[in-house]
């Protein structure tokens, strides 16, 4: 028997925010409302680029472990690998995308095993041929009360509407205007210009383009320790604690710029 949401109000609230900077936070609230007790993470995928974490409800400990593993092994993630060769809107379980030796792989040991993640479902909302929003529904050992099959059926039910909403969001987003397919994420040097120094803004641009601290050091011809100090200063000035929060602030900034243009026009 199909599983239906108790209310369509969260979906209506999401639709009402397509052309505002609050679309992604509203999407996060919708997920929490429709899938209580399930660990969620929303990623931005782009061809040949490191996945960007936009929103999640992981604990601090889980977040630290997840970021470490994904930064080191994201190219081995079976869900990311699947998207590399399948760019259509999709919904896949872990069993759909893994190979026979997956449970003996370094990625399984570093990611699934360390996090206690025993099952996962990924929804791929296509933005273009080379970009998508990927939503991970994670099932952990200490959350066995969550009914995976019922959650999966609800995702199936909501999927066509969410895909249509993401398509419209992307068409109206300043990120869509400022990004070329296959190119790194474009970051305006005006992002946090009133708070950060010129060097800190350079570091932010490279972080948001997916570069690790060591790569940033090489790009800017500075020491690794200097990059780490810049990161600490950036986080303190922006009043954030993680790279994920930095991505989220940038995403909101880009959309606020576009929103201001609509208001002024």
């Amino acid at each position: 028997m199909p599983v239906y949401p108790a209310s369509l109000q969260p979906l209506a609230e999401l639709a009402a925010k397509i052309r505002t900077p609050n679309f992604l936070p509203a999407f996060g609230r919708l997920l929490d409302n429709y899938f209580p007790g399930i660990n969620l993470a929303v990623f931005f995928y782009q061809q040949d680029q490191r996945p960007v974490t936009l929103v999640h409800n992981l604990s601090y400990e889980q977040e630290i472990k997840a970021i470490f593993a994904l930064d080191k092994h994201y190219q081995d993630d079976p869900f990311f690998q699947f998207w590399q060769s399948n760019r259509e809107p999709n919904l896949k379980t872990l069993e759909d995308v893994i190979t026979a030796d997956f449970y003996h792989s370094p990625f399984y040991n570093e990611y699934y095993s360390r996090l206690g993640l025993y099952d996962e479902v990924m929804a791929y909302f296509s933005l273009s041929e080379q970009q998508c929003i990927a939503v991970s529904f994670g099932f952990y050992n200490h959350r066995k009360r969550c009914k995976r099959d019922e959650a999966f059926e609800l995702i199936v039910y909501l999927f066509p509407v969410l895909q249509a909403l993401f398509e419209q969001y992307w068409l109206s987003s300043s990120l869509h205007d400022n990004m070329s397919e296959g190119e790194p994420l474009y970051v305006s040097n005006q992002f946090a210009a009133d708070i950060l120094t010129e060097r800190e803004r350079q570091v932010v641009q490279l972080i948001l383009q997916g570069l690790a601290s060591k790569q940033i050091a090489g790009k800017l011809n500075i020491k690794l320790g200097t990059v780490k100090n810049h990161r600490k200063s950036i986080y303190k000035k922006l009043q954030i604690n993680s790279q994920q929060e930095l991505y989220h602030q940038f995403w909101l900034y880009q959309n606020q710029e576009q929103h201001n243009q609509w208001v002024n026009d």
Side-chain angles (χ1 to χ4, degrees):
M1 183 177 180
V3 176
Y4 301 110
S7 169
L8 293 179
Q9 187 61 34
L11 198 59
E13 292 175 359
L14 178 65
K17 291 179 170 57
I18 286 181
R19 292 178 176 270
T20 78
N22 297 316
F23 179 81
L24 282 175
F27 180 61
R29 290 193 295 272
L30 176 144
L31 293 175
D32 283 336
N33 186 285
Y34 286 160
F35 304 96
I38 296 178
N39 285 96
L40 302 159
V42 181
F43 303 100
F44 175 66
Y45 282 177
Q46 180 169 258
Q47 181 176 330
D48 301 325
Q49 300 293 322
R50 185 186 305 273
V52 173
T53 306
L54 301 176
V55 180
H56 72 77
N57 65 359
L58 300 177
S59 68
Y60 178 74
E61 182 180 0
Q62 289 172 323
E63 179 187 5
I64 294 300
K65 291 178 179 178
I67 288 177
F68 174 82
L70 287 176
D71 279 351
K72 188 176 180 181
H73 299 289
Y74 74 92
Q75 291 179 324
D76 298 321
D77 180 353
F79 284 109
F80 186 70
Q81 290 177 340
F82 174 82
W83 178 76
Q84 293 293 322
S85 56
N86 299 271
R87 302 301 177 85
E88 297 298 318
N90 238 313
L91 183 62
K92 292 294 178 180
T93 65
L94 183 61
E95 292 86 350
D96 292 332
V97 299
I98 61 175
T99 58
D101 60 349
F102 172 72
Y103 291 101
H104 301 287
S105 67
F107 184 80
Y108 174 78
N109 292 327
E110 290 290 328
Y111 189 70
Y112 284 85
S113 182
R114 288 189 68 202
L115 288 172
L117 184 60
Y118 71 90
D119 202 357
E120 187 175 9
V121 173
M122 188 74 78
Y124 302 91
F125 299 106
S126 178
L127 303 174
S128 71
E129 290 185 0
Q130 299 185 17
Q131 297 149 331
C132 89
I133 294 290
V135 183
S136 165
F137 299 81
F139 300 89
Y140 291 75
N141 293 329
H142 64 286
R143 295 185 181 273
K144 288 185 178 179
R145 64 181 182 276
C146 300
K147 297 181 180 179
R148 175 191 174 280
D149 292 343
E150 289 185 7
F152 185 82
E153 289 183 21
L154 183 54
I155 300 168
V156 171
Y157 178 77
L158 295 171
F159 192 93
V161 177
L162 292 177
Q163 172 60 41
L165 290 177
F166 269 110
E167 288 175 357
Q168 294 305 308
Y169 165 70
W170 191 245
L171 288 174
S172 66
S173 170
S174 63
L175 283 177
H176 175 265
D177 295 335
N178 291 330
M179 292 175 67
S180 300
E181 294 184 359
E183 295 296 324
L185 188 66
Y186 169 78
V187 185
S188 167
N189 61 10
Q190 293 305 303
F191 173 56
D194 57 334
I195 299 175
L196 305 179
T197 66
E198 182 178 354
R199 176 63 89 184
E200 287 170 343
R201 294 202 304 274
Q202 290 176 337
V203 172
V204 166
Q205 286 182 308
L206 296 175
I207 292 173
L208 294 174
Q209 288 173 8
L211 274 68
S213 292
K214 188 175 181 180
Q215 294 172 305
I216 293 172
K219 191 86 171 178
L220 298 178
N221 195 28
I222 58 179
K223 294 181 179 180
L224 179 59
T226 303
V227 176
K228 293 180 178 179
N229 288 335
H230 282 315
R231 277 182 178 265
K232 290 179 182 178
S233 177
I234 291 164
Y235 287 6
K236 183 177 181 180
K237 289 180 179 180
L238 296 179
Q239 299 181 357
I240 58 177
N241 297 304
S242 68
Q243 186 166 309
Q244 183 265 341
E245 290 180 274
L246 176 62
Y247 281 120
H248 193 207
Q249 280 204 10
F250 165 68
W251 197 277
L252 294 180
Y253 167 81
Q254 292 282 68
N255 282 281
Q256 184 66 63
E257 288 293 296
Q258 185 73 16
H259 182 61
N260 290 342
Q261 290 179 20
W262 288 321
V263 173
N264 293 333
D265 291 343

